Amino acid sequence: MIVRFYIDQFQPGNFEYRVNHEGEDLFGDAGLASVKECLVAALEGLGSDALGAEVAYKNVVSGTYPLASLALMSAQIAEHALNTTAAIEELLR
């Protein structure tokens, strides 16, 4: 199965995430310090059924990744999510 990681920021240094599959929230957490921490925490909570995840920061999907890639390159994927969302937000202004 492919899940979606929804990550949001409500104030500097205060992020939360939800892991969702087919419209149903599976689990999540709040009060994390970064997008990378959200990715790592979301990965740790997944069972063996998940094969990959879409990453969405502020409801902007930045990509779909195999779990192994998310685990090995979480810092780069977090940076990509931040940059993708910033680019989209700039277009919407």
Side-chain angles (χ1 to χ4, degrees):
M1 95 174 128
I2 305 296
V3 296
R4 180 175 282 182
F5 296 169
Y6 287 100
I7 302 171
D8 284 305
Q9 178 182 17
F10 294 100
Q11 48 187 293
N14 187 6
F15 293 82
E16 75 173 28
Y17 74 91
R18 293 178 291 120
V19 176
N20 183 290
H21 181 254
E22 295 183 352
E24 181 180 328
D25 285 343
L26 303 176
F27 62 93
D29 198 4
L32 293 114
S34 67
V35 171
K36 180 185 174 191
E37 282 189 24
C38 290
L39 291 175
V40 171
L43 282 169
E44 288 174 355
L46 287 175
S48 60
D49 292 343
L51 302 173
E54 289 181 337
V55 176
Y57 176 59
K58 295 184 178 179
N59 289 318
V60 176
V61 176
S62 59
T64 305
Y65 306 93
L67 295 185
S69 295
L70 278 163
L72 291 173
M73 301 180 348
S74 57
Q76 294 90 337
I77 292 169
E79 186 68 28
H80 179 70
L82 289 165
N83 292 336
T84 300
T85 298
I88 296 299
E89 288 176 338
E90 184 66 30
L91 291 173
L92 294 174
R93 290 185 196 163

